[in-house]
Amino acid sequence: MSEQSKVLVVDDEESVVITIKAILQHDGYDVATTTSGVQARAMVREVEYDLVLTDLRLEDGDGLDVLKAVRENHPETITIMLTGYASLESAIQALRAGAYDYLVKPSEVEELRSTVARGIERRRLGQELRKRVAELERANREIADLNSSLQRRIDDATAELKERYEQLKELDRMKSQFLSIASHELKTPITAMSGFLQVALRRVRRLSEGPDAGAAAEGLRGITEQLEVVYRQTTKLARLVDELLDVSRIQTGRIEFRYGDVDIAELADEVATRMQLTTTTHRISVTRDSESVVTADRDHLEQVLNNLLTNAIKYSPSGGAITIDVRPEPDGGVLVSVTDEGIGIPEQELEAIFGLFYRSPDRAARDAAGMGLGLYISKEIVVRHGGRIWAERGAAKGSRLNVSIPRVPVGATKPDVAQPSGARR
Ligand code: ADP
């Protein structure tokens, strides 16, 4: 051992103390001594000895008290009791009080040396063991820490995966919804077109074979009507495809804007006049204030107004008044409100209707054809102008869709104001 082991010898007989000290010093221990029990107790409080050798009977006290003081202050210190006579009783008493061993006085030099050596070795092993246990505990703690950080990372990764999974599920849901809506909506015009084309072809064939001129004129009228239906369905189909293309452009960031001066009131008049031609049960009117010119993409704004008016007509199946109100906003922008007297929008759907492929679960709304794209596209256009679009419930019935467009597009890149707003497609 590199460090000298510290031994305290306590005995009230000076000669005993001196003898033992000499023997133990010779064996390489650092030996302290005292003949007083009181002082011995003070010393073990101060210093941690490796081994304390104490007489059982001291003049000013009891060796068991020294032993107790050792246990209280340094429980790992080895204690050996010296007894004046071979009393089994006192030896047992000492061992019971926690002594490691006992020696009977006067003891053999060899016995003293080997007992002390054993005690010191015992202490060394004890310390070693404690060190090992501490190391193991530290290693255990490190493993536990690693484990918990691993667990945390696994939890994080799991949460992330779950989130992705939810996103994918949502995408999947939207895809299937899109497929069902699209196939249904695209199929109707195609079925109508192919049906009428077949009938028209059969009639043309019969006319080219038959002799009757009057019947030919009658047949041609029928064919013309059917071709008109086909034409209307083609237009509808083209519009559906256009909407799908718009969505794809929006989603891939390839939608382009050409900015110029647009008088929104004038545009509203134009759209209203055109839409009035498509219905006899609705009365479309425009209320307008002064001039309402903003810098915007005319074609895209027209698309928004078209969508709002188409919806106003579509979702008021029993007809009624449709009003487009155009008024300047205090900050130079323009507010357009389209009000109808139709089926209305349930409170809880007022925001959802602007979602991609959103269609109301409401029976009345389902009766009208649609893919749930119009308002999504409209919102995208309005937002790209730095504006806002929102829906409200009508006072008594129906709904009101509002669009607020700023005077100049906010946050839009390179507005080509100089360019006249022209055809886009
Ligand atoms: P589509 O009309 O093709 O379904 P939109 O995006 O234009 O798609 O509209 C989404 C939904 O919002 C409609 O399915 C309908 O439920 C509701 N909606 C839109 N406009 C109106 C309106 N004027 N009145 C009542 N419901 C409306």
Side-chain angles (χ1 to χ4, degrees):
M1 236 182 287
S2 56
E3 227 179 88
Q4 271 187 315
S5 299
K6 287 197 189 74
V7 178
L8 172 66
V9 181
V10 188
D11 198 305
D12 48 9
E13 277 177 67
E14 186 85 46
S15 60
V16 174
V17 165
I18 290 171
T19 318
I20 294 179
K21 181 177 181 176
I23 295 167
L24 295 182
Q25 263 177 345
H26 186 260
D27 278 354
Y29 301 111
D30 171 9
V31 186
T33 61
T34 176
T35 51
S36 148
V38 176
Q39 205 192 344
R41 290 206 298 275
M43 286 168 86
V44 300
R45 267 195 295 275
E46 285 291 299
V47 180
E48 177 170 8
Y49 294 96
D50 293 296
L51 187 139
V52 174
L53 204 66
T54 179
D55 195 3
L56 187 59
R57 283 173 219 293
L58 298 164
E59 234 157 47
D60 63 346
D62 194 326
L64 289 176
D65 288 338
V66 176
L67 214 138
K68 198 168 150 232
V70 170
R71 294 205 70 77
E72 277 168 10
N73 292 285
H74 306 290
E76 312 299 339
T77 295
I78 300 287
T79 46
I80 295 173
M81 204 48 95
L82 292 167
T83 60
Y85 44 88
S87 145
L88 186 61
E89 196 195 337
S90 55
I92 286 173
Q93 206 183 355
L95 292 176
R96 256 206 209 117
Y100 167 69
D101 209 345
Y102 69 93
L103 285 167
V104 179
K105 283 199 296 190
S107 56
E108 297 269 333
V109 173
E110 282 317 308
E111 199 188 357
L112 169 74
R113 290 179 63 206
S114 67
T115 305
V116 169
R118 250 190 297 119
I120 291 289
E121 176 66 5
R122 164 68 219 275
R123 164 136 165 113
R124 198 184 61 74
L125 286 177
Q127 279 172 331
E128 191 85 338
L129 189 69
R130 264 193 307 286
K131 218 170 80 192
R132 285 288 154 77
V133 168
E135 272 168 19
L136 278 178
E137 276 172 352
R138 201 168 44 242
N140 251 341
R141 264 198 308 277
E142 272 166 21
I143 290 172
D145 282 355
L146 279 179
N147 252 343
S148 71
S149 97
L150 200 65
Q151 186 61 50
R152 234 186 348 266
R153 276 154 66 188
I154 290 174
D155 287 350
D156 286 354
T158 312
E160 206 180 307
L161 275 179
K162 259 197 205 133
E163 197 179 309
R164 291 226 186 106
Y165 173 71
E166 289 304 328
Q167 283 170 353
L168 282 178
K169 235 169 61 181
E170 173 65 10
L171 273 181
D172 213 48
R173 195 189 60 74
M174 275 172 27
K175 201 182 71 190
S176 358
Q177 190 172 349
F178 163 69
L179 283 179
S180 84
I181 293 173
S183 50
H184 179 75
E185 292 299 321
L186 297 175
K187 210 174 144 176
T188 314
I190 290 174
T191 311
M193 282 158 63
S194 80
F196 281 118
L197 275 178
Q198 278 169 28
V199 176
L201 275 174
R202 218 177 302 137
R203 285 193 178 175
V204 170
R205 224 174 277 131
R206 215 181 299 136
L207 282 178
S208 63
E209 288 158 4
D212 196 338
E218 175 73 15
L220 279 177
R221 235 192 332 275
I223 291 168
T224 312
E225 274 166 23
Q226 281 163 3
L227 286 180
E228 272 164 7
V229 172
V230 173
Y231 175 71
R232 276 202 299 279
Q233 295 294 337
T234 316
T235 316
K236 190 172 169 190
L237 199 55
R239 205 171 48 236
L240 287 177
V241 172
D242 274 345
E243 278 190 345
L244 283 177
L245 282 175
D246 273 333
V247 169
S248 131
R249 283 198 199 100
I250 288 169
Q251 302 223 315
T252 53
R254 282 187 291 111
I255 188 166
E256 277 176 24
F257 287 84
R258 291 169 204 281
Y259 294 100
D261 281 349
V262 182
D263 184 340
I264 296 196
E266 199 184 293
L267 184 63
D269 267 336
E270 216 182 288
V271 175
T273 308
R274 196 172 56 236
M275 292 305 278
Q276 184 65 75
L277 297 177
T278 67
T279 174
T280 49
T281 49
H282 303 85
R283 295 178 314 281
I284 306 177
S285 60
V286 179
T287 57
R288 46 184 291 188
D289 236 4
S290 49
E291 188 186 57
S292 346
V293 179
V294 293
T295 302
D297 179 312
R298 189 178 206 278
D299 289 347
H300 278 117
L301 278 196
E302 185 175 343
Q303 198 180 348
V304 172
L305 291 180
N306 258 327
N307 276 339
L308 298 187
L309 272 182
T310 309
N311 280 349
I313 294 171
K314 212 161 68 169
Y315 297 108
S316 8
S318 353
I322 295 173
T323 321
I324 311 177
D325 185 48
V326 184
R327 65 181 62 189
E329 297 251 59
D331 60 359
V334 173
L335 174 68
V336 185
S337 304
V338 177
T339 312
D340 63 50
E341 300 177 329
I343 60 168
I345 302 165
E347 182 76 38
Q348 69 275 13
E349 290 180 50
L350 287 176
E351 281 189 32
I353 55 171
F354 297 98
L356 182 57
F357 298 129
Y358 184 85
R359 297 224 68 213
S360 174
D362 200 81
R363 193 54 238 271
R366 288 267 161 179
D367 282 346
M371 284 202 288
L373 295 179
L375 288 182
Y376 171 80
I377 296 169
S378 299
K379 180 172 184 177
E380 194 65 27
I381 293 172
V382 171
V383 167
R384 285 284 296 269
H385 278 81
R388 225 157 62 78
I389 183 168
W390 72 101
E392 288 172 297
R393 293 165 62 70
K397 56 176 176 171
S399 37
R400 173 191 303 237
L401 272 288
N402 306 289
V403 173
S404 164
I405 300 288
R407 173 68 191 84
V408 286
V410 179
T413 47
K414 49 170 184 169
D416 347 328
V417 181
Q419 212 172 14
S421 51
R424 184 167 51 94
R425 290 193 253 254

